[in-house]
Each structure stands twice: as C-alpha cells, then as structure tokens.
Amino acid sequence: MDFKKLFDTYDWDEVKDSIYSKTGTDVLHALQKETRTLEDFKALLSPAAMPYLEQMAQLSQQLTRKRFGKTIQMYVPLYLSNECQNICTYCGFSFDNHIKRKTLTDAEILKEVSAIKSEGYDHVLLVTGEANQTVGVPYLKNAIRLIRPFFSHISIEVQPLEQHEYEELMAEGLNTVLVYQETYDKEDYRHHHTKGKKSNFYYRLETPDRLGRAGIHKMGLGILIGLEDWRTDSFFNALHLNYLEKTYWQTKYSISFPRLRPAEGVTSPKVIMNDKELVQLICAYRIFDGEIELSISTRENENFRNNIIKLGITSMSAGSKTNPGGYAVDPESLEQFEISDERSPQQVSEMIIQQGYQAVWKDWDNCLSNKIEYAELQGIKTV
Ligand code: SF4
C-alpha cells in the first residue's frame, strides 16, 4: 500500500474530533509507556496535554540526549532563484506577485558559496521556487555539481520531482530532500494553491514515496503552521512519517516546524499557534519518535530558539537569507519571508555552547554514501 491509499482511509473531521476528545488520562497513559502509537501522539498533541507540558519537556529532553547527545547540527539555506510558476497564497515568490525575478548564475552561486563557507558552514540547503524551465533538473544538477566540492552535506527544497530525477541528482551528490505537504486538508490545500503544478495535492503527497523508492539518504517533512488546525495537520504528518519509516527504513527523517511569517502579498494566518503550543508539538514528536531529527529555522525569534535548544531540537539554521543572492550578490532582493532571528552563525554557535551543547558543522561525508562509494569502486566518475 502506498501512502495515498492509507491517507484516503482517514477523514479529517473524525481525526480532529478524536484529538480534541483526548483526556488527561490518555496523556498520562502516553507519557508512561515505553513506545507510543499514533493514538498516543494524538493525546500528546491534544489540548488535554497542556497541563502536562513540564513533564513532556523533561521526557523530551531526556530522550533527545539519549539518542543525539548534547548536539545541534548547523545548516544554512542558499536561495538560488525566486522564479515560480505557482500561486501560493502564503509566499512572497508567488507567480502573481510582481517582484523582480532572479536566478543565480554559476559565478553568482560561487560568490554566495564563498560567503557561506566563510561562516563555517558545511551543510547547505539549496532552495528554489517551482519554475521547470528555469530551475528544473538540469539547473539543479549543474548547481549541485558546482557546489559539491565545498560541502559535505547537500539538501534541496525545490519542486517535487520524479523518482529517476531524484536518482540523477543523488548521483551528483544530493543527500537530503525537504518536501512539506503544507496542509493535509484537501479543501484548504486547494484554496492555498490555485495555480501551477503545486495545485496537484496528490502529486505532492506521493513525493516522499518517490524519494523513498529512489533510496534518498534523508528526507524532511512538515506542515506550514498557520494554514489549518495544526493539531490535525500534525497528526497526518506523523501518520505520513510513521508509514515512511516502516516502508523505507533505510532513509533518515526530519521534521520542521515552520510557522507562517509575514511576506510580500501575504495575508494573516488563519490559525495562530502560540509559543507554548509549538513547544508542545516539538515535545510530542520527540516522545512519539526518539529517532527523528527535529529542526527549527530562523523563522522563530531569538528568545524562543534559545529556550528550545534543550527540549528536543537537533538542527538549526542561523544567519539565513531568504532571497537569491542575499549573502553576497544582491542583499537587497526580495525575501521569501521575513526571518525573525537575525543573529550571525557565530553568535548562535556561542549561544549553543553557553548552554552546554555542541554546534556541529559537519555530521556527514559523501564517502559514507553507498551509492557514490559503489560508483567510485566501479570507476564511474561521481565528481
Ligand atoms: S511556496 Fe514554493 S511553490 Fe509556492 S509560490 Fe513560494 S516558491 Fe513557489
């Protein structure tokens, strides 16, 4: 069974009712168990869990330290292009926004890379809009080939691709793909994605299956918090994660928690999640799944990021620019969204160290990738 079939057996309203009817007893039961089910995750997500937040935070911290030690992996986004053929109601790069469009050339990519490397980064996340003609597979292949000598871990957050296209990019050195469903509510999804390839809900939903079949090293999942009821959406995201972990067990997984931020042409979120609720969600994921990597970006403010370090997060970006050329080429171009924590990577690293944690700049090397190693053993050129 692929995820689409499993997903279609669930009803949004029934799931929502079930989460909101969980009781304190369900929460205590979930906290006391050794391993947790999706029903337990619902309890940990529910409003009934709020009085147990302190207990959840302590357990989350304990489980995170047991699996990951006191470490925070550092990564940085590199926006390659703001061209996009889709209309998404929440994004500054949306096709209907009349902004200056920009796609980095080879020379500009290398200039950005030089600025990023000077900050100490070894893990880069390449980001583009969804414009197949401009930033399709040939552009991405070229970009990965260009930057591969400078980074040991390359992630992308770009348009969903076919399995064979992911395989081509992996052969160039791609390690990780982030693909967020944004919302699992089909109606709401339609409302927010009115034009372009992204309007196909199921094509996006099935992307992690294509990635799993391609044998990707790691994939990142998430919802855009603010579009719909975050508790129900998070349940579906955990359902997706649970299915993927069982089906593609050799792949690693991460979850991100983007809360909708102000951006050009964007209206206010339909649903507001406060800081305590975000802490609850992060702890719920950790208690549900001790292996999962949990990531927080510069969308969140300084104070929140300082305090969440010890509660379950395992990776963080810092000093991020969300505009193509933002580090060195064209710092004034339009951002995808406003960032909230404007500290430099060095300042964030010092904050992590002050809390008794280690900022990890390199946690992976391409020589560990079986596919590349195999190709190299066979004498196939991979660089
Ligand atoms: S969210 Fe992605 S696909 Fe949608 S408008 Fe922004 S860049 Fe394009």
Side-chain angles (χ1 to χ4, degrees):
M1 182 190 274
D2 62 13
F3 185 66
K4 178 180 179 295
K5 287 197 188 115
L6 175 65
F7 175 79
D8 282 341
T9 63
Y10 284 81
D11 176 82
W12 176 276
D13 292 331
E14 279 175 18
V15 168
K16 188 173 178 182
D17 289 347
S18 153
I19 294 169
Y20 283 82
S21 62
K22 293 290 180 193
T23 64
T25 310
D26 297 323
V27 179
L28 279 174
H29 180 65
L31 285 172
Q32 284 155 7
K33 292 167 80 174
E34 277 296 309
T35 53
R36 282 103 193 161
T37 64
L38 282 159
E39 281 305 307
D40 295 322
F41 184 67
K42 279 185 188 169
L44 296 169
L45 271 184
S46 71
M50 209 35 111
Y52 301 93
L53 194 54
E54 181 58 36
Q55 249 174 286
M56 286 177 66
Q58 283 179 17
L59 182 55
S60 176
Q61 182 187 71
Q62 193 187 315
L63 293 169
T64 308
R65 285 188 182 171
K66 189 171 154 197
R67 169 64 182 82
F68 297 92
K70 293 166 89 175
T71 61
I72 300 290
Q73 296 166 35
M74 305 296 292
Y75 74 95
V76 70
L78 168 51
Y79 278 68
L80 298 176
S81 174
N82 61 8
E83 297 196 45
C84 192
Q85 296 297 312
N86 293 330
I87 294 182
C88 300
T89 58
Y90 47 79
C91 179
F93 296 168
S94 188
F95 180 73
D96 55 348
N97 275 349
H98 300 292
I99 58 166
K100 195 176 149 205
R101 303 288 168 170
K102 168 86 185 156
T103 297
L104 300 187
T105 63
D106 287 4
E108 289 170 336
I109 292 173
L110 290 173
K111 198 169 171 190
E112 291 287 276
V113 164
S114 169
I116 286 173
K117 287 302 292 182
S118 71
E119 301 281 7
Y121 280 109
D122 201 51
H123 175 186
V124 70
L125 166 66
L126 304 181
V127 186
T128 69
E130 299 194 9
N132 209 27
Q133 297 293 327
T134 336
V135 287
V137 173
Y139 180 87
L140 296 171
K141 270 171 96 166
N142 176 63
I144 293 172
R145 198 174 297 156
L146 205 59
I147 68 163
R148 192 181 160 196
F150 304 97
F151 297 98
S152 59
H153 193 144
I154 300 174
S155 302
I156 58 169
E157 187 178 347
V158 304
Q159 60 178 316
L161 300 171
E162 292 296 320
Q163 179 183 334
H164 70 91
E165 293 173 321
Y166 286 126
E167 286 164 353
E168 283 177 44
L169 296 181
M170 286 158 62
E172 296 294 342
L174 172 67
N175 308 114
T176 295
V177 176
L178 309 187
V179 57
Y180 306 148
Q181 187 59 30
E182 318 295 11
T183 176
Y184 287 84
D185 181 312
K186 278 184 278 184
E187 276 310 304
D188 201 56
Y189 187 93
R190 202 167 299 137
H191 170 71
H192 288 290
H193 306 96
T194 54
K195 180 190 176 297
K197 212 172 159 188
K198 195 168 176 178
S199 58
N200 186 337
F201 176 87
Y202 281 110
Y203 186 72
R204 198 167 185 89
L205 191 76
E206 292 179 310
T207 305
D209 270 301
R210 297 195 295 280
L211 278 166
R213 287 195 291 270
I216 192 77
H217 168 66
K218 181 159 62 174
M219 65 176 107
L221 309 175
I223 57 159
L224 183 54
I225 297 165
L227 296 186
E228 247 306 330
D229 179 73
W230 63 265
R231 292 187 162 95
T232 313
D233 251 337
S234 296
F235 168 80
F236 280 106
N237 200 45
L239 177 74
H240 209 162
L241 169 70
N242 193 251
Y243 157 84
L244 292 165
E245 284 182 329
K246 286 180 182 155
T247 312
Y248 310 105
W249 54 270
Q250 285 159 312
T251 292
K252 292 170 76 179
Y253 297 90
S254 72
I255 299 285
S256 300
F257 304 92
R259 284 195 281 191
L260 198 52
R261 294 282 306 148
E264 182 78 14
V266 171
T267 49
S268 311
K270 172 178 165 185
V271 177
I272 304 283
M273 172 198 247
N274 65 36
D275 286 356
K276 267 176 96 174
E277 289 169 337
L278 182 49
V279 172
Q280 180 192 1
L281 180 60
I282 290 169
C283 295
Y285 265 109
R286 170 60 63 229
I287 296 167
F288 173 60
D289 187 335
E291 293 292 313
I292 190 82
E293 295 183 16
L294 302 177
S295 183
I296 205 88
S297 76
T298 52
R299 283 174 185 259
E300 297 303 329
N301 67 38
E302 198 175 316
N303 188 38
F304 184 86
R305 281 171 31 108
N306 291 355
N307 288 309
I308 201 67
I309 294 265
K310 293 182 176 173
L311 300 185
I313 286 299
T314 56
S315 82
M316 220 176 219
S317 53
S320 305
K321 305 290 179 201
T322 68
N323 46 337
Y327 297 100
V329 173
D330 184 8
E332 299 307 315
S333 65
L334 186 100
E335 318 165 290
Q336 188 186 30
F337 55 86
E338 288 174 19
I339 64 164
S340 200
D341 182 350
E342 302 203 347
R343 288 174 295 179
S344 69
Q346 199 52 42
Q347 288 170 314
V348 172
S349 165
E350 280 163 18
M351 174 275 290
I352 291 170
I353 293 164
Q354 272 166 16
Q355 300 210 38
Y357 279 59
Q358 188 190 351
V360 178
W361 301 88
K362 176 172 181 173
D363 79 321
W364 165 258
D365 196 283
N366 270 329
C367 73
L368 301 171
S369 160
N370 289 338
K371 286 205 165 184
I372 290 173
E373 207 167 42
Y374 177 76
E376 282 168 352
L377 281 173
Q378 299 298 309
I380 300 166
K381 198 165 182 292
T382 57
V383 181

